[in-house]
Amino acid sequence: MDDNTTLEQLKQRVGAFAIERDWEQFHNPRDLALHLAVEAAELLDHFRYKREEELQGVLERKREEISDELADVIILAFEFARMHGFDIATAVHEKLAKNERKYPIEKSKGVKGKYNEL
Ligand SMILES: [Mg+2]
């Protein structure tokens, strides 16, 4: 489905959901960012206090719940972009370009964290 759904289609569907419920009035940048962080915490919560060797099992056992939380994060990111005039593809391309400059392959390959802060 990722290969035949555009970002604009998703943005429109997320927007329609909010508009139909008259929720745009609540979607200021602070509250959307706060809600996005809460949903990210809900995603993280599935892995809380799990040992390294348990993580894959959690991912398999709780796949639907984890998918729902991942979707919540993405939906809120789309709504933030839609409500506040960010083009998602531009934002992702520009940030990846910054990351490519910040983490050049020759200094970063296989290295955890920022190469010059190790
Ligand atoms: Mg949630």
Side-chain angles (χ1 to χ4, degrees):
M1 194 153 182
D2 278 357
D3 59 352
N4 64 7
T5 304
T6 68
L7 295 175
E8 186 58 31
Q9 287 171 324
L10 287 177
K11 204 188 267 186
Q12 290 300 318
R13 179 146 189 221
V14 168
F17 182 89
I19 291 165
E20 288 162 359
R21 288 159 182 78
D22 193 22
W23 286 355
E24 282 187 307
Q25 61 183 312
F26 308 119
H27 289 179
N28 65 65
R30 180 202 55 227
D31 288 338
L32 283 174
L34 189 153
H35 193 174
L36 194 158
V38 168
E39 297 298 346
E42 289 179 2
L43 175 61
L44 181 60
D45 197 38
H46 288 289
F47 304 102
R48 183 165 41 122
Y49 298 125
K50 298 294 187 267
R51 293 187 308 274
E52 190 73 26
E53 62 272 21
E54 296 176 299
L55 297 177
Q56 191 60 37
V58 172
L59 200 54
E60 290 164 15
R61 270 194 323 281
K62 302 178 86 180
R63 193 145 188 97
E64 183 176 346
E65 296 100 310
I66 290 167
S67 176
D68 285 348
E69 299 308 345
L70 177 62
D72 283 339
V73 170
I74 294 167
I75 288 166
L76 284 155
F78 272 85
E79 181 61 355
F80 190 102
R82 187 189 72 83
M83 281 293 295
H84 303 292
F86 291 90
D87 184 272
I88 293 168
T90 300
V92 170
H93 283 301
E94 289 182 357
K95 185 60 168 82
L96 280 172
K98 289 176 188 172
N99 288 351
E100 287 163 359
R101 289 191 296 275
K102 188 174 178 182
Y103 302 100
I105 294 169
E106 63 276 10
K107 293 181 179 172
S108 304
K109 194 167 187 171
V111 177
K112 196 190 310 185
K114 192 156 189 279
Y115 63 89
N116 63 1
E117 293 174 357
L118 298 173

